Amino acid sequence: VDKDVARGLLRTMWRIRLFEERVAQLKRSLQVHGLIHLSIGGEGVAAAVCGQLRDDDAVYSGHRAHGHAIAKGAPMNAVMAELMGRVDGLCLGLGGSMHLVDKPHGFMGATGVVGGNLPLALGTALTSHLNGSDQVTVAFFGDGAVQAGHFNESINLAALWELPVIFVCENNGFAEFTSRSEHSTIERVSDVVAPYDFARETVSGSDVPAVYDAFGRILHEARGGKGPFLLECLTYRRRGHYEGDQQKYRDAAAEEEWRERDPIARLTESLNDDAAAAEIEREAAAEIEAAVRFARDSPFPDPAITSGLVYAT
Amino acid sequence: VSDEMSDDVGDEITFVEAINRTLARALREDERVIVLGEDVAEGGPYLVTAGLAGEFGRERVRNTPISEGTVCGVAVGAAQSGLKPVVEIMFIDFLTLALDQLVNQAAKAHFMSGGQLSVPLVLRTQGGSGQRNGAQHSQSLEAWLTHVPGLKVVMPSGAADAAGLLRSAIADPGPVVFVENKSLYFRREAVTDPPEAIPLGRARTLRSGRDVTIVALSRTVEAALEAAGGLAKEHGIEAEVIDPRTLVPLDLDTLARSVKRTGRAVVAHEAVTAGGFGAELAAQLQAAAFDYLEAPIQRVGAPYTPVPVSPPLEDAYRPGAREIVRAARVALEWGDYDVEPWDKGAIAPA
C-alpha cells in the first residue's frame, strides 16, 4: 500500500486502540457500563476493511464491535457517550457497547448474540440485489460464531442466492475462554466454507497491508454484484473475552507473541517515519480525551424516552 | 378512502384465499414487498401463497431452505434495509427455531438503535390443533410473543378480518407476527376486494349481551358464538362476544367497558390455559373493572398436556363451545352453594 493509505490505516488503528484502552480504564472506574469486549490487537482488520467501504455499504458486527463502528465512520464522541449511557450516544444510550448502530455511516449494527447478525447481513445484501444497486454488505464475526447454527445456515443461503456479501472472519483462536481446537476439528474457517466453493482467502490480521490488498480484490468483485466471499484474518486478541476476564487459560508465551503480532507496531515499523507515527498517535489521543469530556458533559437520558421507542411510528 | 366507502360486501372466499389475495395486492402495489419462506413459491401445504410466484416471479416470492432462524434473520435485515418482507414460518411450532431472530433482533432493533432502525416485517404462521398432527404441529404459542416488547401479535378469526388485518400488518412500520389457525383456513366469508384495512388494536364485538362477556381468540370466536346461542336458547342468558383481534396492541377499553356492564367475564383460547394470553386478559380486566365484577374471571383453554394425536383424545383436548358454556355458567352462578371454579387448565401442582 502507498504511504498515504498506510498513514490512514495507522490513524484508524490508533483511534481504535486508544479508544479501547481508555474504555478499559473507564470500565474499571464504572464510568462505562455493561459487558465490554475489546478488539485490541485486531484493529488492523477493521481499518483495512471499513476504510475501503462507502457510507452506503453496510457493515454488521458482533459483540466485539467498537473498532468496526469507529472505522466505518461512527463519530468518536457519540460512541464514547453511548458506552457511558448518555443521551448524546449513537443510540441515545439505549444500546450500549454490544448494540452500537450508526445508520448514516452504514454501520447497521452490533449484536450480543454470537453469529446473530449473519442472517441480517444476508437480508441487507438481498435488498441490494433486488434493488439492482452496487452496495456491498460486510459481516464481521469471530471464529466462535462458526459453530453456531446461524453461520452454517447463512453460508449455505448466501452461496445459494449468490449474494453480494463479504464474510470477514476475525479468527483470534479463542471462542470466549476456550481455544478453537476444543470447539471444532477444523482449524481454518476458510476450510469450513470450502464445500460451498465460494472465493475465500486467509491472511494474517497483523499484516495490515495484506488485509487491505486482499479485501480490496474481493471488494472489487463484490461491487460488480458477485458473491459471497470469505476473508479470514488470523488475529491476536490482546485482552480477555471481556474486561474483567481473569484469562487463566492463557500461557506465558502470550507476551512474546504479542510483540510479533501487534498490527500497529508492524505498520509503524514499515512506515519508517517515527515523527509522523507519533503525531498520528498524539492526534488520536487528543480526540479520545475530547470524546471523554463530551460524554461526561452529556446527560443521562430521561427515563420517559424508553416507552416511546418500543414501536416505530 | 373510496375503498372504505364501498357498499360491496364482496364474494364469499376462504380464509386462505383472503390471505392470498391480500398478499397479491401488496406485491402489486408496493415493489418493496417480498414473500419468503419454505415452499412459498410452490404455494405451501395449505396453498396460501399459490400463484404468487407465477405473477410476481421467484425473486420476490422466494423459496428458502429449511433454515427458519436464518430466514427470519434475512427478513429482519431486509426490513431494516428498506424492503417489506412477509416471511412465512410454516407451523408456529417451528417458530421456536426462529425465536432468537424474532426476539433478540426484530423486536429490539428500533429500541436499541435509539430509533435509527425500524423493522417493517410480517411473520405469518399458523397454529392450532384438530388435524391429528400431534404435539409438534398443533400448538398455540402466541402468548410467548406477547411477552416480548417490540412485537405486535395479530390473531384473526375469519377471512374478512384476516384480509383487513394483514393489510394493516404489512403497512405497519414494525415487526408484526400474524398467527393464523389451520382449522379456519377453508371457512368461507364475504370479503371485499380490496379488503378494508382494519387498524391493529381494535376489538370487534360480534354479539351484544347484558349478562356475561366472552372474550375469545382466533378459532374459539366461533365456539363462543355457538356457546352464546346455546346459553340464550337453553338458559335465557345473553352473552356478549368480543374478539380482540390483536393481542398486542390490546383494545382493553372495549373489553373493560363490556365487563363493567355485564359484571362477569370468560376468556377463551385454544392455547394451554396455564400461562396463556387469557391470564393476561384476566389480570388486566380485573384491574380495570374490579369494582364491577360479580364473579372471578373464568378461563377456558387447553389442559396442561401436549396435544395428543388419537382422534377422541384430541377432540377432548380442544376447548370449544361446551367448555365456554360451562365457564359462563360458573361465572353466572358464582356464589351459589355448589359451584366449583372452572379450572381445567391448572398448571401441574408441585
Side-chain angles (χ1 to χ4, degrees):
Chain A
V1 298
D2 73 28
K3 291 248 174 214
D4 281 345
V5 169
R7 275 192 290 268
L9 293 169
L10 191 61
R11 182 173 298 113
T12 305
M13 287 195 290
W14 270 121
R15 293 175 73 231
I16 299 169
R17 172 77 52 92
L18 295 177
F19 173 85
E20 293 207 311
E21 287 181 348
R22 194 72 172 89
V23 165
Q25 282 179 356
L26 292 166
K27 175 65 186 172
R28 285 194 290 277
S29 57
L30 301 179
Q31 294 179 72
V32 301
H33 308 288
L35 291 167
I36 300 290
H37 307 84
L38 301 183
S39 67
I40 291 171
E43 302 94 335
V45 178
V49 169
C50 296
Q52 299 185 67
L53 296 173
R54 307 188 311 226
D55 279 352
D56 68 342
D57 291 324
V59 165
Y60 285 92
S61 179
H63 55 285
R64 204 175 298 287
H66 306 152
H68 305 140
I70 290 168
K72 191 66 171 56
M76 192 68 83
N77 285 355
V79 180
M80 187 64 86
E82 185 62 30
L83 268 63
M84 290 173 72
R86 307 303 172 113
V87 75
D88 294 301
L90 273 179
C91 308
L92 312 178
L94 298 178
S97 167
M98 285 189 283
H99 310 110
L100 298 172
V101 173
D102 183 22
K103 197 177 180 192
H105 294 96
F107 188 72
M108 293 297 283
T111 182
V113 182
V114 171
N117 264 350
L118 296 169
L120 275 67
L122 268 55
T124 297
L126 175 64
T127 307
S128 307
H129 166 74
L130 290 176
N131 289 341
S133 91
D134 68 349
Q135 290 158 305
V136 168
T137 302
V138 170
F140 286 104
F141 60 100
D143 48 295
V146 174
Q147 287 67 248
H150 286 333
F151 176 83
N152 294 279
E153 294 184 2
S154 292
I155 56 170
N156 175 62
L157 197 54
L160 183 72
W161 288 353
E162 300 178 337
L163 294 173
V165 62
I166 305 172
F167 296 105
V168 178
C169 178
E170 294 169 315
N171 184 346
N172 63 25
F174 281 107
E176 302 184 356
F177 303 170
T178 307
S179 67
R180 174 153 184 81
S181 59
E182 286 188 50
H183 282 179
S184 177
T185 57
I186 305 172
E187 189 185 348
R188 291 278 178 266
V189 175
S190 55
D191 291 337
V192 179
V193 308
Y196 297 96
D197 201 28
F198 54 73
R200 57 199 182 273
E201 211 167 319
T202 300
V203 294
S204 165
S206 304
D207 183 352
V208 185
V211 180
Y212 189 91
D213 284 343
F215 184 75
R217 286 191 295 274
I218 290 171
L219 180 61
H220 181 74
E221 298 276 308
R223 194 66 82 203
K226 293 210 180 85
F229 301 90
L230 171 78
L231 178 62
E232 178 180 22
C233 304
L234 306 176
T235 61
Y236 185 79
R237 193 183 83 196
R238 174 66 170 160
R239 310 285 297 192
H241 169 50
Y242 56 84
E243 287 307 282
D245 173 2
Q246 299 290 313
Q247 299 190 68
K248 289 187 176 149
Y249 48 86
R250 279 212 153 138
D251 56 30
E255 203 57 35
E256 194 167 329
E257 195 182 356
W258 171 238
R259 276 193 288 278
E260 301 274 307
R261 298 190 59 185
D262 177 0
I264 291 184
R266 286 181 57 163
L267 189 64
T268 303
E269 199 180 318
S270 73
L271 248 182
N272 198 21
D273 185 346
D274 289 353
E279 178 58 20
I280 287 169
E281 184 183 348
R282 262 195 307 276
E283 281 173 12
E287 186 189 10
I288 305 308
E289 284 319 303
V292 173
R293 284 193 299 276
F294 172 87
R296 283 180 177 151
D297 286 346
S298 172
F300 287 107
D302 180 341
I305 70 169
T306 56
S307 61
L309 284 162
V310 178
Y311 294 98
T313 49
Chain B
V1 174
S2 61
D3 293 359
E4 271 73 25
M5 300 298 285
S6 170
D7 289 332
D8 183 9
V9 296
D11 299 332
E12 289 222 335
I13 58 173
T14 64
F15 193 115
V16 161
E17 288 163 342
I19 297 283
N20 181 279
R21 198 193 263 183
T22 308
L23 289 174
R25 178 170 288 277
L27 285 157
R28 211 173 289 130
E29 286 176 348
D30 188 345
E31 64 178 14
R32 295 172 299 174
V33 174
I34 63 168
V35 170
L36 70 166
E38 290 157 26
D39 301 330
V40 292
E42 322 305 329
Y46 296 96
L47 301 176
V48 177
T49 54
L52 298 179
E55 183 175 353
F56 302 101
R58 298 173 79 96
E59 287 270 336
R60 289 180 70 201
V61 180
R62 194 166 265 266
N63 272 347
T64 70
I66 306 171
S67 304
E68 285 85 356
T70 284
V71 170
C72 184
V74 166
V76 176
Q80 65 185 28
S81 304
L83 296 183
K84 293 177 79 67
V86 181
V87 60
E88 178 179 305
I89 299 290
M90 198 183 278
F91 286 76
I92 199 170
D93 313 77
F94 312 149
L95 193 59
T96 50
L97 295 155
L99 274 178
D100 168 50
Q101 292 296 328
L102 193 63
V103 170
N104 285 323
Q105 311 282 3
K108 295 170 174 55
H110 184 70
F111 183 91
M112 291 198 304
S113 67
Q116 294 177 74
L117 302 175
S118 56
V119 184
L121 77 83
V122 176
L123 187 151
R124 284 187 45 254
T125 188
Q126 57 81 21
S129 56
Q131 295 183 354
R132 322 312 188 197
N133 292 331
Q136 296 175 337
H137 289 72
S138 307
Q139 295 172 87
S140 297
L141 300 175
E142 65 279 354
W144 292 358
L145 305 169
T146 66
H147 195 63
V148 181
L151 301 177
K152 293 182 181 177
V153 183
V154 180
M155 280 187 91
S157 62
D161 278 0
L165 291 165
L166 184 57
R167 233 185 132 173
S168 296
I170 293 171
D172 196 276
V176 179
V177 187
F178 195 87
V179 185
E180 300 157 17
N181 188 301
K182 57 176 78 64
S183 295
L184 299 174
Y185 267 167
F186 299 98
R187 302 288 168 81
R188 288 180 177 276
E189 195 177 17
V191 181
T192 58
D193 189 18
E196 192 176 327
I198 299 167
L200 306 184
R202 195 168 297 173
R204 179 178 179 204
T205 302
L206 291 112
R207 186 186 195 283
S208 297
R210 62 176 185 274
D211 298 324
V212 58
T213 301
I214 304 172
V215 181
L217 304 179
S218 188
R219 181 183 66 75
T220 57
V221 170
E222 191 183 69
L225 289 169
E226 187 189 332
L231 286 164
K233 199 168 155 202
E234 288 161 35
H235 305 283
I237 295 166
E238 291 301 328
E240 185 143 297
V241 177
I242 308 179
D243 175 6
R245 302 198 284 200
T246 65
L247 282 54
V248 183
L250 179 67
D251 183 2
L252 183 66
D253 280 354
T254 296
L255 308 183
R257 246 197 328 270
S258 171
V259 173
K260 284 177 183 176
R261 212 174 53 251
T262 62
R264 299 167 204 273
V266 173
V267 295
H269 53 55
E270 184 168 337
V272 169
T273 306
F277 192 67
E280 181 65 23
L281 286 170
Q284 293 211 27
L285 284 171
Q286 67 86 19
F290 184 76
D291 288 339
Y292 300 82
L293 286 173
E294 305 287 344
I297 296 170
Q298 302 299 307
R299 291 191 287 159
V300 173
Y304 200 62
T305 76
V307 183
V309 166
S310 177
L313 271 60
E314 188 184 40
D315 291 345
Y317 175 94
R318 276 157 67 80
R322 203 167 51 99
E323 287 77 13
I324 294 170
V325 165
R326 196 172 145 196
R329 293 196 60 198
V330 170
L332 279 148
E333 292 159 25
W334 190 260
D336 288 3
Y337 178 70
D338 58 349
V339 172
E340 291 289 325
W342 168 254
D343 201 9
K344 187 179 168 189
I347 204 161

